[in-house]
Amino acid sequence: MTGAETAGSVSKQANGKTATRRGATGRPASAGGGSCDFGVVVTTGDEFTALTTGLTVFQNKKMVVPIPGWGLSDLIFARTRAAIPAGVSVLRIPYDPAKFPPRDESKDTLKDRLFRDLNAELAAYMREVVKGTNCRHYIQILNSVSPIGSSNYTIRGFGILNQDVVLGRRIYLYALAFIRIFDGRDFSVVRQSSALINMHHSLAVQRLLGALVSGPYRELPAESFPTRLEDAAGNPALRDGVRSMLAESLDKTLPFLLGLRPAAHQSDTRER
């Protein structure tokens, strides 16, 4: 079965049922009782990272600031609800990160991957996240991870990058999300991909063509990098830039994963 056929089966199965609950307001719906076609859980969190990288490790700086006022979780759910056809029931499932331990990055080595059943771990994790619900499919929106150019540095989720290079510095704003669709019966992964704006080339081709980041990003003027990193959360330009890229990438990628719109290439990448 091809990726497009798999995605097509998702929307066809959902369209074959009568809507029971729509949850289109963007507010969390009750997670108990009844059934639904799609359960949506947003696990990106409300954090913004300001990262500086230089020619030496002594130039590297990283700060993470909370951004609850940016409304990213509500935006993500709203764009997901908009991508699902009318008449298909959707349940927003609240997510409490405090109930789930953070992933141990030190155990995510190639050796560990060879001896771990990552699919089983994903299934077990999602069963816990959506416990008490009964949906035919579950859509999880989480953070994506991308290398920076050909370096060993990576970025994750939402943030701003200050590359301090020989001839000056270059500033990039990024919004990296990952979409995963689970079968509601056995929690196997039906489809998954980074949320992308450029759907015409695979991520590998985009990198060959010179893309710095695997996902939505844009270059900003040098003065855009906040002088005080803790002020980033109150910067409307950074907020609006992230929201714009996030919405556009979800609007372009979700219909493809749901089988509602063809794309030239399927593009998967790493996520967290």
Side-chain angles (χ1 to χ4, degrees), residues 49-265:
T49 300
L51 175 66
T52 296
T53 62
L55 298 176
T56 69
V57 295
F58 302 104
Q59 295 173 280
N60 299 339
K61 298 178 182 178
K62 179 180 179 181
M63 181 174 182
V64 179
V65 294
I67 50 170
W70 288 21
L72 297 187
S73 294
D74 287 344
L75 172 66
I76 290 170
F77 176 76
R79 301 323 307 157
T80 305
R81 169 65 265 191
I84 298 172
V88 175
S89 58
V90 179
L91 173 68
R92 182 174 183 179
I93 301 172
Y95 173 70
D96 183 2
K99 295 182 179 180
F100 303 93
R103 186 169 181 172
D104 187 350
E105 300 287 348
S106 66
K107 296 181 179 180
D108 195 26
T109 64
L110 177 60
K111 180 180 178 180
D112 292 319
R113 285 174 176 264
L114 291 175
F115 295 98
R116 291 166 58 193
D117 188 342
L118 296 179
N119 289 332
E121 291 181 19
L122 282 175
Y125 176 80
M126 281 304 292
R127 282 193 179 95
E128 285 298 313
V129 172
V130 304
K131 183 182 294 184
T133 67
N134 179 25
C135 299
R136 300 182 73 181
H137 290 93
Y138 291 97
I139 301 177
Q140 181 192 18
I141 313 292
L142 57 158
N143 291 317
S144 185
V145 175
S146 169
I148 304 172
S150 58
S151 72
N152 293 324
Y153 299 112
T154 60
I155 52 177
R156 171 184 181 272
F158 317 112
I160 189 169
L161 169 66
N162 173 18
Q163 278 198 312
D164 194 352
V165 294
V166 176
L167 299 178
R169 60 176 184 157
R170 305 187 72 174
I171 310 299
Y172 302 95
L173 185 69
Y174 57 88
L176 308 180
F178 196 88
I179 304 165
R180 185 177 283 138
I181 302 178
F182 292 85
D183 186 295
R185 296 165 298 179
D186 60 7
F187 288 89
S188 59
V189 176
V190 178
R191 293 300 300 276
Q192 61 179 359
S193 173
S194 289
L196 302 175
I197 291 176
N198 182 355
M199 299 292 292
H200 299 292
H201 299 290
S202 69
L203 285 175
V205 170
Q206 291 182 41
R207 296 305 293 268
L208 287 174
L209 293 175
L212 179 73
V213 174
S214 299
Y217 75 102
R218 63 177 59 158
E219 187 167 4
L220 301 179
E223 60 271 18
S224 300
F225 197 82
T227 304
R228 286 169 29 97
L229 299 185
E230 56 268 30
D231 293 338
N235 188 313
L238 299 182
R239 178 200 64 205
D240 294 346
V242 167
R243 286 177 58 91
S244 174
M245 287 188 289
L246 179 59
E248 185 177 359
S249 64
L250 293 173
D251 288 348
K252 290 186 175 180
T253 310
L254 277 165
F256 166 58
L257 292 182
L258 294 170
L260 304 173
R261 182 186 303 163
H265 296 277

